[in-house]
Amino acid sequence: MITRVQKFLPFAGLTSVLKISNLFHHTSTPAFAQRATAFYGTEMGKASDSGAQVSNPAPGFKLVGFSNFLRTNPMSDRFGVKRFHHIEFWSTDATNLARRFSWGLGMPIVAKSDLSTGNVIHASYLTRSGDLNFLFTAPYSPSIAGDLENAAATASIPSFDHSACHAFAASHGLGVRAIAIEVDDAEGAFHTSVAHGARPMSPPVTMGGSVVISEVHLYGDAVLRYVSYKNPNPNATSDPSSWFLPGFEAVDEGSSFPVDFGLRRVDHTVGNVPKLAPVVTYLKQFTGFHEFAEFTAEDVGTSESGLNSVVLASNNEMVLLPLNEPVFGTKRKSQIQTYLEHNEGPGVQHLALMSDDIFRTLREMRRRSGVGGFDFMPSPPPTYYRNVKKRAGDVLTDDQIKECEELGILVDKDDQGTLLQIFTKPLGDRPTIFIEIIQRLGCMVKDDEGKVSQKGGCGGFGKGNFSELFKSIEEYEKTLGAKRIVDPAPV
Ligand SMILES: [Fe+2]
């Protein structure tokens, strides 16, 4: 069946959606359909209606909530920030992880740095879709490098450390080690950050005479990695040592999978921390990033939500770093607290990936859910989509709302645009890191040269979906709890 629609004007990318073969039909099961997910909770510094206790804010730091938050952009970055560059996962077997993500997200493996390229320190594989780069890294045996002269120099990620990587994997399971952002000057960004309180993790290193890379502490065992190019024109050549990092080589076609589900870039990366205030203060202080949004319990509309959130943004609002903290005293344990326990501390909770055609992305991803891809959180009930018509019927056609329902896509709006979003289940063994797929509609702006682009964060982060989404996570956690209860008691 070909779906044709007349509306959906605010965004160019979805024009291809206007004539999509309706190849996949996702049907919510009754058990799933009653619940959906969420991410943001009660106001910091005071108890919610439910009596929830919240953390003590740092001096000068207090959440005001979504409705009282006045969005301004003071253009306060301490150094030039361009965009998310790549996300690095640390694991104990990069080959299998890269292939699973490549298959599940439609991101071909495009570059490698491993024994075959002369790297005796770590195996790293890069998957790519548009400007979305995921790097998967695992250690080789230290004994391999032990007898070789200058073995450390063969590493393409200069900060890589065997024991730190092993300890990371043992403590966290699957997780994100580095959020890498492209900056104007990775050396200057490092020194400026450290001068403003950042904990140094890896001093600037110039690689191949063309790329500078440095790292500072982000939260938990995650680092914020700065990457800059001496001659920025990263896509001018097919050689990954030029457009990505020196030391990487293109993979031969046989070991890649030429697919594209429509994913284009990282939209935001979310961290879970025990206390929001010190981390927000720390990050704001050394980056200069401004507060882009806040969410509190009153915003979420459920006394069981169990979290507070702040979104930090760079000047161009292309780098968005939301942070969550748990709230205690609610009937059910905060999902953030669950994360912190299973992850053994703070870390990256989810990666929001922007698609230029979310319907295509979801059809392709759902086809692979049961065969090596990623599973999705339960879809909301049909009543949710009747309300979508009321909330976003001016932006989405009936056919598009129907397609959202078939694929389990959530819809929200803010004062500027519309957000389509959906969440996977946790990616690995533990109920920790997951992925959000989004498409933002509207907020197109033209610069002085007439170039049209979309404002960062257009359509928000799904505040209107929070209560529905949270119920879904709760439902999922209940299934984990139920399993635990039927476990045989020790005798
Ligand atoms: Fe998100």
Side-chain angles (χ1 to χ4, degrees):
M1 183 179 80
I2 303 295
T3 305
R4 286 185 185 278
V5 291
Q6 306 301 318
K7 292 170 79 177
F8 233 14
L9 297 175
F11 50 100
L14 261 185
T15 48
S16 54
V17 171
L18 303 186
K19 39 184 177 179
I20 287 170
S21 295
N22 224 342
L23 298 174
F24 178 84
H25 292 271
H26 166 68
T27 311
S28 306
T29 65
F32 285 166
Q34 302 309 309
R35 301 285 180 187
T37 40
F39 296 96
Y40 305 94
T42 69
E43 183 173 351
M44 176 176 274
K46 74 176 194 183
S48 73
D49 292 345
S50 65
Q53 297 303 303
V54 296
S55 68
N56 296 319
F61 179 87
K62 185 180 186 308
L63 293 178
V64 296
F66 182 82
S67 54
N68 294 323
F69 183 81
L70 186 63
R71 184 180 294 175
T72 57
N73 185 348
M75 301 294 281
S76 51
D77 288 0
R78 293 197 186 276
F79 43 86
V81 174
K82 294 184 174 178
R83 61 181 181 115
F84 283 111
H85 187 270
H86 68 270
I87 304 292
E88 184 180 33
F89 292 79
W90 264 4
S91 70
T92 54
D93 193 286
T95 297
N96 282 286
L97 207 52
R99 290 180 182 218
R100 198 268 177 119
F101 277 71
S102 175
W103 170 247
L105 292 171
M107 297 173 69
I109 300 171
V110 294
K112 63 181 177 180
S113 175
D114 60 6
L115 287 173
S116 74
T117 69
N119 184 344
V120 297
I121 303 296
H122 60 86
S124 286
Y125 300 99
L126 179 70
T127 64
R128 187 177 217 214
S129 180
D131 289 330
L132 175 62
N133 296 305
F134 278 180
L135 184 63
F136 300 94
T137 294
Y140 286 125
S141 167
S143 64
I144 304 297
D147 300 333
L148 298 173
E149 233 177 277
N150 295 326
T154 69
S156 53
I157 304 293
S159 60
F160 184 80
D161 181 84
H162 281 99
S163 55
C165 186
H166 277 299
F168 183 99
S171 178
H172 309 305
L174 174 64
V176 168
R177 165 61 173 182
I179 293 172
I181 58 176
E182 186 181 348
V183 296
D184 291 342
D185 171 10
E187 184 169 3
F190 176 86
H191 292 304
T192 300
S193 297
V194 172
H196 290 90
R199 199 173 114 208
M201 295 297 286
S202 179
V205 174
T206 301
M207 301 164 66
S210 59
V211 181
V212 180
I213 189 166
S214 62
E215 291 173 5
V216 295
H217 181 246
L218 184 61
Y219 41 68
D221 286 327
V223 299
L224 185 62
R225 177 175 293 162
Y226 301 135
V227 178
S228 66
Y229 295 88
K230 298 217 165 172
N231 298 302
N233 194 5
N235 291 310
T237 159
S238 60
D239 179 3
S241 71
S242 169
W243 61 257
F244 187 61
L245 294 174
F248 279 80
E249 293 182 9
V251 300
D252 39 326
E253 282 180 13
S255 30
S256 189
F257 189 71
V259 287
D260 180 5
F261 300 171
L263 295 175
R264 291 296 170 259
R265 68 176 178 87
V266 174
D267 183 89
H268 57 274
T269 62
V270 183
N272 281 350
V273 299
K275 299 277 186 190
L276 207 45
V279 181
V280 170
T281 304
Y282 168 74
L283 289 177
K284 277 180 74 175
Q285 200 171 335
F286 77 79
T287 59
F289 287 4
H290 60 281
E291 287 185 35
F292 186 79
E294 292 182 358
F295 303 97
T296 67
E298 288 75 9
D299 301 325
V300 175
T302 166
S303 60
E304 295 191 24
S305 56
L307 65 90
N308 293 318
S309 183
V310 169
V311 182
L312 297 181
S314 59
N315 280 1
N316 61 10
E317 298 179 341
M318 287 293 108
V319 174
L320 299 169
L321 301 176
L323 296 152
N324 298 324
E325 71 171 357
V327 169
F328 301 98
T330 52
K331 206 161 76 187
R332 279 188 62 77
K333 185 198 278 186
S334 164
Q335 55 157 301
I336 308 305
Q337 186 58 26
T338 299
Y339 172 101
L340 293 170
E341 290 171 8
H342 281 272
N343 193 59
E344 296 187 7
V348 174
Q349 180 214 35
H350 76 267
L351 301 166
L353 312 182
M354 183 180 281
S355 169
D356 67 4
D357 183 347
I358 197 170
F359 295 162
R360 173 163 69 115
T361 305
L362 261 294
R363 275 197 304 276
E364 296 292 345
M365 284 187 70
R366 282 196 181 277
R367 278 178 176 165
R368 289 158 178 80
S369 287
V371 286
F374 297 100
D375 293 315
F376 288 88
M377 294 303 286
S379 299
T383 46
Y384 172 89
Y385 290 97
R386 288 202 280 279
N387 288 332
V388 166
K389 189 164 168 53
K390 286 180 210 151
R391 288 194 290 139
D394 57 333
V395 179
L396 301 175
T397 65
D398 288 352
D399 281 349
Q400 287 166 333
I401 293 172
K402 187 161 167 276
E403 190 138 25
C404 285
E405 182 169 4
E406 287 170 350
L407 293 167
I409 295 167
L410 300 156
V411 183
D412 197 25
K413 286 178 86 174
D414 71 359
D415 57 326
Q416 302 190 4
T418 301
L419 172 73
L420 307 183
Q421 65 178 171
I422 188 166
F423 299 88
T424 69
K425 286 184 177 175
L427 308 180
D429 301 325
R430 308 186 192 190
T432 53
I433 187 169
F434 58 91
I435 280 174
E436 174 184 7
I437 306 293
I438 70 170
Q439 185 164 7
R440 298 186 181 278
L441 317 178
C443 317
M444 305 310 287
V445 290
K446 203 184 269 191
D447 66 15
D448 296 342
E449 292 162 5
K451 191 179 160 204
V452 177
S453 60
Q454 187 177 52
K455 282 165 71 178
C458 174
F461 295 85
K463 178 183 73 71
N465 284 321
F466 295 159
S467 59
E468 282 300 301
L469 292 168
F470 187 73
K471 287 174 198 163
S472 174
I473 284 185
E474 286 179 327
E475 195 67 15
Y476 179 65
E477 286 180 352
K478 277 178 193 165
T479 65
L480 297 177
K483 277 273 187 338
R484 229 173 284 131
I485 289 163
V486 298
D487 282 344
V491 286

